Amino acid sequence: MSGELPPNIDIREPRWDQSTFVGRASHFFTVTDPRNLLLTDEQLENARKTVHDYRQGVVPPGLTENELWRAKYIYDSAFHPDTGEKMVLIGRMSAQVPMNMTITGCMMTFYRTTPAVLFWQWVNQSFNAVVNYTNRSGDAPLTVKELGTAYVSATTGAVATALGLNALAKHVSPLIGRFVPFAAVAAANCINIPLMRQRELKVGIPVTDENGTRLGESAQAAQQAIAQVVVSRILMAAPGMAPSSCPHVHLCDVLSPEASSGTRRFPWMSAPIQVGLVGFCLVFATPLCCALFPQKSSMSVTSLEAELQAKLQESHPALRRVYFNKGL
């Protein structure tokens, strides 16, 4: 698009229609693009300035619509939507594929001993804790004590769950035992995410009307947001772990007998193959599972806390739904 850029493009919302799965998937394929990790601080700052200036009605000379949307998605990939703070690098959604493919591949490869399970589950849950905190909903800060308590409880609970499942796996067939990592990740997500975002469950997250006007905080909205994120994260892990749980040698037998023979002769090839297979799955699973629910989620006013309902019925009697950022 050339010429004068109109100042009325709504860059608060994604470029694609978020009422459809395809639109949400297109949005998240852009946000989770691992290439965003390669952007320099200068590029991120330029994108932030472009977005902030445009929101204030300042249109830089020569800026095109495509450049504006590119700046918006660079901004979205690196800055928190509620606080506006730059997110820690490994906590960004664009880091999900490279980080998860490495960690998950190692979990799938080194699962036979308790120390290995303990170490990689701790690494995985520590990474998840960073991601869950970085992509939390709301703008209320956590104290160091609250953050430390959340991290310890989340990682301890998740690792204990994984070890418990690993102990049970010793009494089942090796094939079923291969699914232990996925079962552990699924169970751990049910523990880690709520604990890392426990402050939201206690004090609530901001809810707005459809125009973005803040109306209050709701713990009920936080419950719905966290539940949606848990479902997305579990399904995100499934394609990378469950199909790969069958011994990879069997897959190689189908694709290439020479490759299968190679892994038997060179066992060190097992981990790179696992990482590659998991990474291939995650490239698609990450954005598609993020797209299962709208980022700007909503709920009926009648589902809110009684106190907030009463407040809204008095100040906004015609309001039927409220909106909130569910986090990721």
Side-chain angles (χ1 to χ4, degrees):
M1 180 177 176
S2 59
E4 187 83 14
L5 186 67
N8 59 350
I9 298 175
D10 188 6
I11 59 172
R12 295 178 305 170
E13 301 293 334
R15 189 173 193 175
W16 296 275
D17 181 7
Q18 297 299 283
S19 66
T20 68
F21 177 77
V22 172
R24 295 194 297 272
S26 298
H27 166 71
F28 282 111
F29 266 108
T30 305
V31 171
T32 63
D33 188 341
R35 291 175 297 179
N36 291 333
L37 296 174
L38 303 177
L39 297 170
T40 65
D41 288 340
E42 182 181 2
Q43 289 173 304
L44 295 178
E45 182 58 29
N46 288 338
R48 186 195 67 80
K49 186 177 185 303
T50 298
V51 169
H52 282 201
D53 285 351
Y54 188 84
R55 287 174 177 174
Q56 298 300 318
V58 179
V59 182
L63 183 68
T64 67
E65 184 173 349
N66 283 336
E67 289 171 343
L68 175 63
W69 282 113
R70 174 58 180 160
K72 180 254 193 313
Y73 273 101
I74 290 176
Y75 177 84
D76 285 353
S77 74
F79 295 87
H80 192 277
D82 293 327
T83 66
E85 297 175 349
K86 185 185 292 185
M87 297 183 286
V88 62
L89 187 68
I90 65 170
R92 301 173 193 172
M93 292 309 292
S94 50
Q96 282 290 291
V97 171
M99 290 297 296
N100 270 325
M101 69 181 287
T102 302
I103 295 173
T104 305
C106 290
M107 288 171 61
M108 295 292 297
T109 303
F110 308 110
Y111 71 96
R112 292 181 177 84
T113 66
T114 297
V117 171
L118 178 61
F119 175 75
W120 286 109
Q121 283 294 338
W122 172 76
V123 170
N124 184 50
Q125 295 311 319
S126 295
F127 169 66
N128 283 342
V130 172
V131 173
N132 295 336
Y133 173 73
T134 303
N135 294 279
R136 67 196 183 282
S137 176
D139 51 11
L142 269 71
T143 65
V144 174
K145 181 179 179 180
E146 288 175 328
L147 185 58
T149 300
Y151 168 76
V152 171
S153 59
T155 53
T156 301
V159 170
T161 300
L163 290 177
L165 288 172
N166 189 61
L168 290 175
K170 296 178 180 178
H171 304 289
V172 298
S173 69
L175 180 60
I176 296 177
R178 295 284 294 187
F179 286 87
V180 168
F182 171 66
V185 167
N189 272 322
C190 295
I191 297 171
N192 194 313
I193 295 173
L195 287 175
M196 283 305 298
R197 297 176 59 176
Q198 58 186 274
R199 191 177 192 282
E200 299 172 36
L201 297 171
K202 295 176 182 177
V203 303
I205 58 176
V207 294
T208 69
D209 61 18
E210 60 181 358
N211 298 317
T213 303
R214 191 161 176 164
L215 303 171
E217 287 74 36
S218 170
Q220 292 295 116
Q223 291 179 20
Q224 178 174 311
I226 291 173
Q228 290 177 346
V229 171
V230 168
V231 171
S232 294
R233 291 287 190 81
I234 292 175
L235 295 178
M236 196 183 296
M241 300 192 77
S244 308
S245 294
C246 295
H248 76 272
V249 173
H250 292 187
L251 178 61
C252 291
D253 281 335
V254 175
L255 298 179
S256 170
E258 292 79 9
S260 176
S261 176
T263 57
R264 283 193 289 266
R265 288 199 304 269
F266 306 103
W268 57 267
M269 293 175 60
S270 175
I273 289 176
Q274 291 279 27
V275 170
L277 290 173
V278 170
F280 177 79
C281 292
L282 288 173
V283 165
F284 299 97
T286 299
L288 293 177
C289 290
C290 283
L292 291 175
F293 305 100
Q295 182 64 42
K296 184 179 179 180
S297 195
S298 69
M299 67 189 308
S300 171
V301 171
T302 57
S303 299
L304 299 171
E305 298 89 330
E307 182 180 348
L308 184 55
Q309 283 188 51
K311 174 185 173 182
L312 295 180
Q313 287 170 2
E314 182 178 341
S315 60
H316 300 77
L319 189 68
R320 295 291 177 266
R321 297 193 73 79
V322 294
Y323 300 84
F324 51 91
N325 169 32
K326 71 175 177 64
L328 287 172

